[in-house]
Amino acid sequence: MYEPGPPRTTSVGEPVELAPRSPDPDGTYRWTVRDAPADSDLSPGDSPDPNATGPPSSATMVGSDGSAAVLRAGETGRDDDPVVHLDPDAPGTYILTLNAPDGTHRQRVRVFPDERRETEIRVPVEELAGDDHTSDETEVDRVSLLWPLNENRLALDRAERDGDEWVASVRVPPGSHGFGFVPDGDRSAAFHGECEVPGPGRPRLSLDATVVDGDSSEEPDRLRLTATVEPAPAVDDVERGGNPDALDATFLVDDRDANPETVAAVESRADGRTLTVPFGELPDSVRIHAVPHGERYGAAETVRIEAPEGGDSGSIEMSDPNPTPDWAESPTIYEVFVRSFAGDTLPTTFREIERRVEYLEHLGVDALWLTPVLASPTDHGYHVTDYYDTADDLGSREAFESLVDACHEVGIRVVFDLVINHTSRDHPAFQLHSAGVDAYADHYRRTDASADVTGIDWAELDAGAAPDYYFEWGRIPNLNYDSPVVREWLLDVVDEWAGVVDGFRADVAWGVPHGFWKEVADRVPDDCLLLDETLPHDPFYGEGEFHRHYDTSLYEMLRAIGAGEEPAGAVETALARGEWLGFDDQTAQMRYVENHDEDRYLAEYGRDALRAAAAVTFTLPGAPMIYAGQERGNETYRGPIRWHDGDNDLTEFHRKLAALREAEPLLHDGGVRFDGRAAAARVVEGDADRVVAYERTPPADGAADGGDAEHDPLLVVVNFAEAPATVAVPDAVETDLFAGDRDTGDGDRGGARDGETRIEVDAVAVLR
């Protein structure tokens, strides 16, 4: 089947890619507009504009010439258009048809109003000039705006000189957007700042499905879907939640599961945030998507309804079509930068990693994430030259599979680093592309050579063309997902390794189209974890795509707390930021303090702050991640692990955190609150700005009555300071679960008020 996937949602000015699934490179595909909003320039019968193969510049810039077509062809040399790009110009519903080798398919796109707001970014000239900025020799010729909103492409968007300032006029959605002004293509000289755009965050939605029993033939049994829509919280004392009364939900029946008439009939039964449908009107199997919206729209949630023909309501099954594997609900993840893991005396091989599996088991690791293990000319492995063979220096594929088997024997899953946004320019495919071999002409994206800042001689390419890449990464050109040949190739790569490993960490996930990730999620085994690298993190990668996401909000805040730029209580703000962005499920985040791309937390902020930051990642909802060496006292971000001279006490600290999390269900299944008992905790002795408290509470659907200890809330107190803090907490405390052997009883009452218990907190206390 070449069906193009589920209904899509977007907003005006936010393009969406549409593509057939499992495309046959030799097949013929034609996209046609069937319907479009009245205010759109598109009309029924329109086809993609063959002369518009890409937008003239970033859609974020005010003053672009606006010549990008509403529906444009993919960037290939084909006469037909297997992949197209819709850049909607009006809110409403767009309906397209795809004529494919197996028949005609329908694709709907629900478009919400433009969320972008005009603003200006201004940076003084002296911030970007040389030491002597009055000298003509150091004058800056051009300044590029670099940020995630233009996919981190240098020289795509240019700032203009306005007197003593460089100015970029932009149209961007509400939020705090980190940016760089890069002089003359030199990212090392960039000025970095934040562009603050007022406005609401994204609403969040949870979906509840129930059966309503009928009492007569006129009132048959019905399915009722109820969407609970919540506004974004205020963040940093800025009211950004929007108007809760304006929030609503739109229900979309998946066009793959029913004919257009049935889809329209089911959707017509929606009443605000509720959809109620007699079972007799439902297809035997149907996926229904619910999208929250108000001033902005949010990520959809989906439920699959299985209603066997002739069955009664008792035979109805309701499920998540893209559930998180049971083992990946809240695993302790351990990232290994492969080539430094054996230490400073032995070269790392799969065999050497396998010899250390016992250490990982002792540490309490549930999942081992290995940085790339495929053939590559680099130590880090992110420049892949062969997707089907392991790197010679690490060992054979058989040796890799032996490592995976050894991990499985002790209950550890293996996560594979999937690098498919780009290849190395040493990959044979890129060399053949550069040499003009027709079969590889569409394998890589091209850009205007005027935007090239690498200084590399691309003489083999057509005049005026250069490879497309992010930042200044000229050695890793971007693959072209408009090509069905490339899509077929990379889907095969996913299939090749999905049968060997337990999950994929997707490198530069933000550079690969959403539609492709949706297809990957549908084809990998049910127990395969998908973890995205999206910077900053983005809730739309959870729409039938990834199960777990990099939590950049908490990561950045832990860094700010470590540096003393924010109080420890800002942990609450970090979680609120995730909700403001549109994440509904706190457990979907991977929490971390460092990784292979970042400086070591220990080297930047010290041992005491590191222990506290690690404790936060292990005592909040989500999946904690340890970057190999973090627990051994490493201070170089990719240096060899300190096996023989490492910090054993720090290792034991991390082991205890993992063990406690494993032993206490509330630490991985419960909710989190910063009010109530947490807010009442007060520092009696020590630095109050370096202490944060929060409660881990039973989940709403699993709270127990009475004193079942497994369900009693846990009070977590974390201290980032070098010196211990004495904290008075409300109510009697039975025990500090992290200390283990320290039974507090009624606690030290000295200096405490009635009903309080004094606790001394070194790095962390987990109190019951």
Side-chain angles (χ1 to χ4, degrees):
M1 291 288 289
Y2 302 114
E3 46 81 9
R8 305 292 292 276
T9 57
T10 188
S11 60
V12 171
E14 183 181 353
V16 60
E17 174 239 36
L18 307 174
R21 293 197 168 193
S22 301
D24 176 2
D26 296 323
T28 299
Y29 303 85
R30 295 288 181 186
W31 287 91
T32 307
V33 176
R34 179 175 176 181
D35 198 8
D39 293 335
S40 173
D41 285 343
L42 283 183
S43 301
D46 284 352
S47 296
D49 185 342
N51 298 315
T53 57
S57 69
S58 167
T60 67
M61 296 296 289
V62 175
S64 296
D65 63 15
S67 62
V70 178
L71 184 64
R72 56 186 172 85
E75 297 183 26
T76 72
R78 297 174 60 127
D79 293 330
D80 62 349
D81 308 302
V83 179
V84 297
H85 301 264
L86 176 69
D87 194 351
D89 58 345
T93 299
Y94 295 75
I95 303 176
L96 295 90
T97 57
L98 169 65
N99 289 321
D102 64 337
T104 300
H105 305 280
R106 186 165 94 138
Q107 173 75 77
R108 284 188 298 161
V109 182
R110 177 69 165 86
V111 178
F112 295 95
D114 196 337
E115 300 182 345
R116 300 169 299 170
R117 304 184 179 195
E118 294 188 10
T119 190
E120 287 186 336
I121 305 174
R122 291 181 171 269
V123 174
V125 167
E126 59 264 25
E127 296 286 357
L128 293 166
D131 293 336
D132 179 11
H133 62 271
T134 62
S135 168
D136 291 339
E137 294 179 1
T138 59
E139 190 72 22
V140 173
D141 291 326
R142 66 182 187 183
V143 172
S144 299
L145 171 62
L146 183 72
W147 58 351
L149 293 169
N150 63 6
E151 294 189 305
N152 298 301
R153 284 187 168 88
L154 272 170
L156 179 65
D157 295 324
R158 301 281 178 80
E160 300 292 335
R161 180 76 177 262
D162 181 15
D164 293 332
E165 294 179 308
W166 287 99
V167 182
S169 298
V170 295
R171 286 177 57 83
V172 292
S176 179
H177 307 291
F179 72 88
F181 266 24
V182 183
D184 296 329
D186 182 4
R187 195 154 65 102
S188 66
F191 174 88
H192 296 281
E194 294 286 326
C195 173
E196 295 282 351
V197 181
R202 295 196 183 278
R204 294 159 291 136
L205 179 146
S206 57
L207 196 58
D208 180 54
T210 57
V211 173
V212 180
D213 293 331
D215 53 13
S216 67
S217 59
E218 295 182 359
E219 286 290 337
D221 293 348
R222 305 177 299 284
L223 167 72
R224 176 165 294 163
L225 297 180
T226 303
T228 300
V229 184
E230 296 184 14
V235 178
D236 297 333
D237 298 322
V238 178
E239 288 294 337
R240 290 175 167 170
N243 179 9
D245 295 333
L247 296 178
D248 207 344
T250 291
F251 294 91
L252 298 171
V253 175
D254 202 305
D255 296 288
R256 298 171 293 178
D257 301 330
N259 60 48
E261 293 75 19
T262 300
V263 167
V266 173
E267 292 178 357
S268 70
R269 290 187 170 273
D271 182 11
R273 305 180 192 182
T274 303
L275 174 68
T276 305
V277 187
F279 284 112
E281 296 182 13
L282 285 172
D284 292 347
S285 178
V286 63
R287 287 158 287 193
I288 300 177
H289 313 268
V291 186
H293 55 89
E295 293 181 61
R296 302 180 70 188
Y297 79 105
E301 187 167 332
T302 303
V303 64
R304 183 193 297 273
I305 311 297
E306 302 283 351
E309 186 175 0
D312 58 25
S313 60
S315 64
I316 300 298
E317 296 182 2
M318 294 170 280
S319 62
D320 179 354
N322 187 39
T324 301
D326 290 343
W327 70 266
E329 287 287 350
S330 184
T332 294
I333 300 171
Y334 189 83
E335 182 200 358
V336 163
F337 185 78
V338 171
R339 285 176 174 82
S340 65
F341 191 60
D344 57 5
T345 57
L346 293 171
T348 299
T349 62
F350 296 132
R351 175 57 183 155
E352 289 300 326
I353 299 174
E354 184 175 337
R355 290 176 58 201
R356 290 159 176 79
V357 168
E358 186 175 355
Y359 167 78
L360 302 179
E361 179 187 19
H362 174 76
L363 191 60
V365 170
D366 299 309
L368 172 63
W369 157 24
L370 298 166
T371 55
V373 299
L374 299 178
S376 171
T378 63
D379 285 343
H380 54 70
Y382 288 97
H383 297 191
V384 176
T385 55
D386 188 340
Y387 283 112
Y388 298 96
D389 198 8
T390 54
D392 289 341
D393 63 315
L394 297 177
S396 66
R397 176 163 175 158
E398 290 74 20
F400 175 69
E401 293 184 5
S402 176
L403 166 61
V404 173
D405 290 342
C407 288
H408 288 172
E409 287 175 5
V410 296
I412 296 174
R413 307 286 182 142
V414 177
V415 177
F416 183 97
D417 213 320
L418 184 67
V419 187
I420 57 173
N421 169 77
H422 53 261
T423 70
S424 168
R425 69 173 185 166
D426 295 327
H427 195 291
F430 183 72
Q431 294 173 343
L432 293 168
H433 168 82
S434 298
V437 176
D438 288 345
Y440 293 86
D442 296 335
H443 271 55
Y444 293 84
R445 293 174 65 177
R446 300 279 190 91
T447 191
D448 192 319
S450 65
D452 182 28
V453 299
T454 64
I456 297 171
D457 181 7
W458 303 110
E460 299 89 345
L461 298 181
D462 295 338
D468 184 64
Y469 54 85
Y470 299 127
F471 300 104
E472 72 284 8
W473 297 345
R475 295 186 177 277
I476 42 176
N478 291 331
L479 287 156
N480 180 17
Y481 279 85
D482 286 354
S483 165
V485 176
V486 169
R487 297 176 90 101
E488 181 185 54
W489 172 29
L490 297 174
L491 288 169
D492 186 63
V493 169
V494 171
D495 293 343
E496 177 76 14
W497 295 103
V500 177
V501 297
D502 305 289
F504 294 107
R505 176 263 184 186
D507 181 63
V508 194
W510 48 268
V512 175
H514 281 285
F516 187 84
W517 289 129
K518 294 179 192 298
E519 186 170 2
V520 168
D522 282 348
R523 70 191 290 140
V524 297
D526 290 342
D527 62 349
C528 180
L529 168 68
L530 295 175
L531 165 67
D532 68 38
E533 181 198 29
T534 52
L535 309 171
H537 62 325
D538 182 338
F540 293 103
Y541 287 89
E543 285 188 330
E545 299 176 32
F546 291 91
H547 307 109
R548 293 294 174 264
H549 319 280
Y550 269 52
D551 183 3
T552 55
S553 296
L554 181 65
Y555 164 78
E556 291 169 358
M557 190 62 76
L558 290 176
R559 293 261 159 174
I561 294 170
E565 298 167 357
E566 295 282 353
V571 167
E572 180 180 8
T573 301
L575 269 61
R577 283 182 179 172
E579 294 179 346
W580 190 90
L581 289 169
F583 285 99
D584 181 60
D585 183 4
Q586 291 280 8
T587 67
Q589 306 301 327
M590 183 183 76
R591 319 284 193 183
Y592 61 102
V593 300
E594 58 190 30
N595 61 39
H596 67 277
D597 285 326
E598 311 293 346
D599 291 332
R600 291 285 188 177
Y601 199 97
L602 174 64
E604 295 285 308
Y605 313 116
R607 188 174 186 274
D608 298 292
L610 170 62
R611 294 200 305 158
V616 168
T617 64
F618 273 87
T619 56
L620 285 177
M625 191 271 279
I626 302 170
Y627 174 42
Q630 170 183 319
E631 84 286 10
R632 296 296 297 158
N634 271 47
E635 296 193 44
T636 54
Y637 81 121
R638 293 180 180 177
I641 304 302
R642 297 176 56 192
W643 290 113
H644 66 279
D645 63 346
D647 187 333
N648 290 335
D649 289 340
L650 190 60
T651 305
E652 179 62 13
F653 180 83
H654 283 79
R655 188 197 67 78
K656 287 178 63 178
L657 285 173
L660 179 60
R661 185 179 183 85
E662 177 67 22
E664 293 297 327
L666 284 189
L667 290 181
H668 46 84
D669 292 334
V672 58
R673 295 182 58 177
F674 290 85
D675 57 2
R677 285 203 307 160
R682 60 189 184 89
V683 176
V684 177
E685 296 178 11
D687 187 346
D689 281 345
R690 305 294 283 170
V691 176
V692 61
Y694 43 88
E695 233 181 352
R696 297 302 311 275
T697 59
D701 59 354
D705 284 331
D708 184 350
E710 183 174 305
H711 296 282
D712 287 345
L714 302 177
L715 182 62
V716 179
V717 185
V718 181
N719 176 25
F720 283 80
E722 295 180 8
T726 302
V727 181
V729 299
D731 304 328
V733 173
E734 213 176 275
T735 187
D736 177 355
L737 297 173
F738 185 76
D741 58 353
R742 184 174 75 191
D743 189 338
T744 63
D746 290 332
D748 176 4
R749 296 303 309 282
R753 301 167 183 166
D754 288 344
E756 288 184 335
T757 303
R758 284 169 57 109
I759 300 293
E760 185 174 271
V761 182
D762 184 10
V764 60
V766 181
L767 308 173
R768 170 173 287 143

